[in-house]
């Protein structure tokens, strides 16, 4: 799709894919699996090469691997293109339940593959950068089995090993300053035999795809004229070295082994999705839930009791004169709804925040129901992009209504600002980063037709919908403020040091960030270390906690501000509520330094560029949640007191 010249055809295809979501063998859980008979071909496809050290994916054939007679790329959806997937056929000949001891992949034994000096340099460079190769069979990604002993008692150690799986397989390894290539792949495929009626041929389904990569020197691979080969004894073989300073000769070989498995087709992804310690996840999530609800309960009790006392005092008619002499939030009733500076920008940012909130809520909820599982490659990103476009109508509506409430008049300019401010920043940063990725010839670079299609979606779907929503929001009755605004602004007394904006951001960000930072680790691992993220049930719970904690912190902060007789709360609430984004930024720097092995300039630029986008989006999201919670609170408390 990314290579087709017609943006219209691309859009039509993507929309169709989003609605039907089952092209070829790429399925949503619940869609019919593929049944194989014995000897049926099981196609092995290549997805890409990835490295957590460079963050730059490459096409499979960017390296001199064996190629089939005709290279065919799979038509991809938007999410796959943005992820850098380029799914392509390979020359591996695998048949259902047919063993292969050892077979030469391409060329003849008497005429091995010769890597030129340039190719050898490139291969050695990719091995040094710790690249992994990702293949798929029947849409199942290949995994490398890792066995190790856990910290159990000595007796138990002898009995069982812990097994974990690594996505893909390592391209090669280094020993000192020498580079070695994994040129032999031992495929282990597991099948589940389906129950059939008598006199019918058995059908099989692929339920697991493992690989054991090996490096075997050309001289040790004994091959005959029929392209069959014999593997040497494990102890006596030398690995296949790649010398980047000269030409290298080698053979690419593979073997296929089939095993029957009790795993049913519906559970076949479980192996890939239980790669990290789930107990830690459970414990941390429950811990976060308990802490947040405990703190939330305390905050709610304090603020409700204090407010009741305040309102009771303010409403005692015989003590009105004494009350007015006191300090408190009632004193600023004539200024609390005074429109802030730059109301158009504020309403535009809040409109984008509403757009993000609706998109994230729907995506997490749909993913929690299992409709956007990792097996539906690229589905999550495709859905998120389309939902953001269509949620523009809600963003426009809320922005338009707030802009009218803040005494704004230029609704067309406001609508344009809402539709272009945040998406424009995102597009600008992505375009600059994309130029650097293009320079590296990585498959992670978004192709030009895809970029044109995204622009068409932005200006053809999102912009008109934002205008539509803004028009109706602006026409609707503005929010009803319970008190009138004085003509002359009240003087604001000198504020204490802890009422400073930055101190407020630091204080307000701790609780929401504390609720979600464990989940953040798993999300970062999924993005930067090519892991699968699948715990959307946990994520939905964390999202609810985030909304609750942001709302409560925002209410507490605005209450303290009004008690200090500072009525300029509009912008401040929006900034302070997004305080957890500051901690996300600090955590991203910590993760970069401690967890990732990135040393080059462009991977570092990509990391911090995309992190900046995440932090900006998170700030908009949490700021919007906090702003609307505070606005409802302020309207509620001023409606509860008698104002002369």
């Amino acid at each position: 799709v990314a290579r087709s010249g017609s943006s219209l055809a691309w859009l039509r295809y993507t929309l169709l894919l989003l609605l039907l979501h089952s092209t070829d063998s790429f399925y949503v859980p619940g869609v019919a699996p593929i049944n194989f008979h014995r000897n049926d071909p099981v196609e092995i496809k290549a997805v890409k090469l990835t490295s957590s050290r460079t963050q730059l994916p490459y096409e499979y054939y960017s390296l001199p691997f064996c190629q089939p007679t005709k290279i065919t790329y799979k038509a991809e959806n938007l999410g796959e293109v943005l992820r850098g997937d380029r799914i392509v056929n390979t020359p591996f000949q695998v048949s259902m339940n047919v063993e292969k001891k050892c077979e030469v992949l391409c060329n003849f034994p008497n005429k091995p593959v010769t890597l030129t000096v340039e190719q050898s340099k490139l291969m050695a460079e990719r091995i040094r950068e710790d690249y992994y190769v990702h293949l798929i069979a029947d849409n199942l990604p290949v995994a490398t089995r890792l066995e190790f002993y856990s910290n159990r008692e000595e007796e138990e150690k002898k009995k069982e090993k812990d097994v974990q799986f690594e996505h893909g397989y390592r391209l090669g390894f280094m020993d000192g300053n020498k580079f070695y290539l994994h040129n032999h792949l031992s495929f282990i495929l597991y099948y589940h035999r389906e129950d059939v009626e008598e006199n019918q041929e058995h059908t099989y389904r692929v339920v697991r795809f493992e690989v054991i990569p090996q490096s075997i020197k050309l001289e040790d691979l004994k091959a005959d004229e029929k392209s069959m080969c014999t593997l040497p004894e494990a102890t006596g073989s030398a690995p296949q070295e790649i010398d980047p300073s000269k030409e290298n000769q080698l053979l690419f070989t593979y073997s296929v082994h089939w095993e029957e498995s009790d795993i049913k087709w519906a559970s076949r992804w479980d192996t890939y999705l239980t790669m990290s310690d789930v107990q830690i996840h459970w414990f941390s999530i429950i811990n976060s839930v308990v802490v947040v609800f405990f703190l939330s309960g305390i905050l709610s009790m304090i603020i409700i009791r204090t407010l009741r006392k305040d309102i009771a005092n303010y409403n005692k008619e015989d003590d009105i004169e004494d009350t007015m002499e006191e300090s408190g939030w009632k004193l600023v009733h004539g200024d609390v709804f005074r429109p802030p500076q730059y109301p158009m920008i504020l309403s535009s940012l809040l409109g984008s925040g509403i757009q993000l909130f609706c998109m994230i809520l729907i995506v997490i909820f749909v993913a929690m129901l299992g409709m956007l599982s990792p097996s539906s490659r690229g589905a999550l990103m495709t859905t998120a992009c389309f939902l953001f476009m269509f949620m523009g109508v809600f963003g426009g509506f809320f922005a338009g209504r707030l802009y009218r409430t803040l005494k704004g008049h230029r609704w067309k300019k406001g609508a344009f600002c809402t539709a272009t401010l945040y998406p424009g920043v995102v597009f600008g940063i992505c375009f600059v980063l994309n130029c650097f990725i293009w320079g590296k010839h990585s498959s992670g670079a978004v192709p030009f037709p895809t970029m044109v299609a995204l622009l068409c979606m932005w200006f053809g779907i999102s912009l008109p919908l934002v205008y539509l929503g803004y028009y109706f929001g602006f026409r609707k009755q503005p929010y009803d403020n319970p008190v009138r605004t004085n003509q002359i602004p009240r003087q604001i007394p000198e504020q204490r040091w802890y009422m400073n904006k930055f101190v407020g951001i630091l204080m307000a960000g701790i609780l929401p960030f504390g609720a979600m930072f464990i989940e953040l680790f798993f999300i970062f691992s999924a993005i930067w270390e090519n892991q699968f993220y699948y715990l959307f049930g946990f994520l939905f719970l964390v999202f609810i906690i985030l909304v609750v904690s942001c709302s409560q912190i925002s209410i507490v902060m605005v209450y303290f501000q009004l008690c200090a007789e500072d009525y300029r709360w509009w912008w401040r609430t929006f900034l302070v509520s997004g305080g957890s984004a500051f901690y996300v930024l600090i955590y991203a720097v910590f993760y970069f330094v401690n967890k990732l092995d990135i040393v080059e300039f462009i991977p570092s630029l990509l990391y911090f560029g995309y992190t900046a986008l995440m932090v900006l989006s998170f700030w908009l999201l949490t700021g919007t949640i906090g702003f609307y919670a505070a606005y409802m609170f302020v309207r509620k408390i001023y409606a509860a007191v008698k104002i002369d």
Side-chain angles (χ1 to χ4, degrees):
V1 176
R3 289 158 186 77
S4 73
S6 167
S7 298
L8 191 65
W10 184 90
L11 273 170
R12 198 184 304 133
Y13 174 81
T14 314
L15 277 166
L16 189 68
L17 192 71
L18 195 66
L19 294 171
L20 301 179
H21 234 289
S22 55
T23 335
D24 303 329
S25 63
F26 287 70
Y27 61 91
V28 171
V31 176
I34 293 181
N35 290 325
F36 295 92
H37 294 289
R38 187 180 163 80
N39 286 326
D40 280 0
V42 178
E43 197 174 3
I44 307 286
K45 292 182 179 181
V47 182
K48 58 183 172 184
L49 311 168
T50 63
S51 164
S52 58
R53 289 185 68 180
T54 67
Q55 299 299 330
L56 292 165
Y58 285 96
E59 283 189 40
Y60 181 69
Y61 292 122
S62 65
L63 289 178
F65 290 119
C66 293
Q67 297 185 1
T69 47
K70 187 188 176 189
I71 293 176
T72 313
Y73 285 91
K74 174 195 165 286
E76 290 159 339
N77 61 36
L78 177 61
E80 287 173 320
V81 173
L82 295 178
R83 277 161 40 111
D85 292 1
R86 300 290 183 270
I87 297 170
V88 65
N89 61 331
T90 60
F92 295 106
Q93 301 291 320
V94 177
S95 300
M96 173 53 76
N97 211 3
V98 175
E99 300 271 326
K100 278 190 180 179
K101 291 288 183 193
C102 178
E103 194 167 300
V104 178
L105 190 57
C106 60
N107 292 33
F108 292 104
N110 57 1
K111 191 186 172 189
V113 178
T114 303
L115 302 185
T116 63
V117 178
E118 283 298 311
Q119 289 174 330
S120 300
K121 271 185 188 170
L122 184 64
M123 193 71 90
E125 179 71 10
R126 294 285 178 265
I127 292 169
R128 189 180 62 78
E129 290 170 340
D130 208 15
Y131 267 85
Y132 281 75
V133 183
H134 296 273
L135 306 174
I136 50 172
D138 187 30
N139 193 34
L140 269 182
V142 75
T144 310
R145 179 190 287 258
L146 302 174
E147 293 183 344
F148 57 92
Y149 293 108
S150 60
N151 298 324
R152 291 200 187 97
E153 295 296 320
E154 289 296 321
E155 290 177 14
E156 287 189 28
K157 272 191 180 184
K158 293 172 188 172
K159 292 179 191 173
E160 66 178 292
K161 295 176 183 176
D162 273 356
V163 177
Q164 279 198 356
F165 290 92
E166 203 171 45
H167 300 295
Y169 70 88
R170 286 176 186 269
L171 177 62
F173 61 94
M174 285 181 69
D175 186 6
N177 291 323
K178 292 186 176 180
F179 303 93
Y180 299 99
L181 175 71
H182 284 140
N183 59 326
H184 176 82
L185 300 178
S186 300
F187 292 130
I188 305 168
L189 290 106
Y190 293 77
Y191 63 85
H192 182 74
R193 195 193 300 262
E194 295 303 305
D195 297 326
V196 289
E197 293 175 16
E198 285 183 38
N199 305 323
Q200 280 193 330
E201 192 183 347
H202 277 292
T203 59
Y204 307 91
R205 291 175 183 174
V206 180
V207 291
R208 192 189 289 177
F209 182 25
E210 288 179 24
V211 68
I212 301 170
Q214 290 171 270
S215 183
I216 304 170
K217 202 173 182 180
L218 175 64
E219 290 76 18
D220 290 346
L221 279 166
K222 299 176 180 66
D224 59 24
E225 294 304 314
K226 295 178 182 175
S227 291
M228 305 304 284
C229 53
T230 311
L231 293 175
E233 292 291 324
T235 50
S237 67
Q240 174 65 56
E241 187 185 343
I242 300 291
D243 188 342
S245 61
K246 63 175 189 181
E247 288 188 350
N248 290 275
Q249 288 195 326
L250 66 144
L251 281 176
F252 286 105
T253 58
Y254 70 105
S255 59
V256 181
H257 173 60
W258 288 90
E259 283 188 27
E260 190 166 359
S261 171
D262 295 331
I263 299 167
K264 293 211 168 143
W265 184 84
S267 310
R268 68 182 194 155
W269 272 84
D270 293 359
T271 306
Y272 303 89
L273 302 182
T274 51
M275 294 192 179
S276 51
D277 199 341
V278 180
Q279 279 186 324
I280 293 172
H281 215 137
W282 268 111
F283 178 74
S284 62
I285 293 290
I286 292 166
N287 187 37
S288 295
V289 171
V290 170
V291 169
V292 166
F293 279 109
F294 178 69
L295 288 172
S296 300
I298 291 171
L299 286 174
S300 304
M301 276 171 58
I302 291 168
I303 208 139
I304 288 166
R305 285 183 68 180
T306 312
L307 267 176
R308 278 185 179 159
K309 194 175 168 186
D310 285 352
I311 291 166
N313 285 341
Y314 290 148
N315 286 344
K316 281 183 190 170
E317 291 185 30
D318 52 338
D319 289 342
I320 277 181
E321 289 176 16
D322 299 337
T323 308
M324 292 306 278
E325 286 170 14
E326 291 174 14
S327 61
W329 50 266
K330 188 182 176 183
L331 297 185
V332 293
H333 69 82
D335 298 277
V336 75
F337 295 111
R338 188 179 300 283
Q341 286 184 303
Y342 315 116
M344 186 186 289
I345 295 173
L346 178 65
S347 58
S348 298
L349 290 172
L350 288 163
S352 294
I354 291 287
Q355 219 171 326
L356 273 171
F357 177 80
C358 295
M359 180 264 282
I360 290 169
L361 183 68
I362 296 170
V363 164
I364 295 175
F365 185 72
V366 170
M368 186 177 72
L369 299 177
M371 295 183 200
L372 299 176
S373 75
S375 57
S376 311
R377 220 170 288 278
L380 191 75
M381 207 172 274
T382 308
T383 310
C385 285
F386 274 89
L387 271 174
F388 185 78
M389 302 292 173
F390 288 115
M391 291 301 117
V393 70
F394 296 107
F397 179 83
F398 278 92
R401 194 170 179 198
L402 184 68
Y403 185 55
R404 173 124 190 238
T405 307
L406 299 178
K407 309 285 191 292
H409 302 294
R410 296 174 296 173
W411 75 270
K412 288 178 186 170
K413 193 177 176 186
F416 184 76
C417 190
T418 305
T420 55
L421 186 61
Y422 169 69
V425 170
V426 172
F427 187 82
I429 292 174
C430 287
F431 183 77
V432 171
L433 293 176
N434 207 47
C435 291
F436 283 100
I437 304 172
W438 259 331
K440 284 281 190 179
H441 308 290
S442 165
S443 66
V446 179
F448 187 71
T450 309
M451 206 166 269
V452 171
L454 283 169
L455 280 170
C456 290
M457 284 163 65
W458 179 12
F459 289 106
I461 301 172
S462 186
L463 190 83
L465 285 174
V466 169
Y467 263 91
L468 182 72
Y470 211 97
Y471 173 73
F472 284 108
F474 194 77
R475 282 189 63 189
K476 197 169 171 62
Q477 193 71 23
Y479 293 112
D480 183 32
N481 295 331
V483 288
R484 286 197 302 274
T485 303
N486 295 339
Q487 287 184 329
I488 301 165
R490 179 189 174 86
Q491 193 173 356
I492 298 165
E494 194 177 334
Q495 298 295 306
R496 303 260 178 141
W497 65 269
Y498 53 78
M499 295 306 292
N500 182 285
K501 267 196 196 79
F502 191 69
V503 175
I505 286 170
L506 289 178
M507 285 164 59
I510 292 171
L511 185 60
F513 177 75
M516 55 158 281
F517 89 98
I518 295 287
E519 207 60 34
L520 205 61
F521 169 76
F522 287 95
I523 293 168
F524 270 55
S525 298
I527 296 170
W528 303 114
E529 297 188 52
N530 300 305
Q531 302 291 327
F532 286 118
Y533 187 84
Y534 65 99
L535 295 163
F536 290 103
F538 281 130
L539 191 61
F540 188 73
L541 185 64
V542 168
F543 186 68
I544 299 299
I545 295 168
L546 184 70
V547 171
V548 171
S549 54
C550 274
S551 304
Q552 291 185 327
I553 282 290
S554 173
I555 288 167
V556 171
M557 297 305 283
V558 82
Y559 176 72
F560 285 148
Q561 188 183 346
L562 294 176
C563 284
E565 298 176 39
D566 184 357
Y567 53 80
R568 297 168 303 180
W569 63 273
W570 302 89
W571 273 105
R572 186 189 166 98
T573 300
F574 182 53
L575 291 168
V576 165
S577 300
S580 46
F582 174 72
Y583 287 99
V584 172
L585 178 62
I586 291 171
Y587 181 78
V589 174
F590 166 80
Y591 190 87
F592 179 81
V593 172
N594 288 287
K595 298 288 181 184
L596 296 179
D597 190 19
I598 294 176
V599 286
E600 292 178 25
F601 170 69
I602 289 179
S604 305
L605 183 75
L606 290 178
Y607 180 86
F608 285 107
Y610 289 129
T611 297
L613 285 182
M614 282 170 62
V615 168
L616 173 68
S617 305
F618 192 71
W619 170 62
L620 275 182
L621 175 72
T622 51
T624 303
I625 293 164
F627 176 86
Y628 276 100
Y631 190 28
M632 285 164 63
F633 170 76
V634 170
R635 283 168 58 203
K636 203 91 174 162
I637 63 170
Y638 282 99
V641 293
K642 296 173 187 170
I643 307 288
D644 292 337

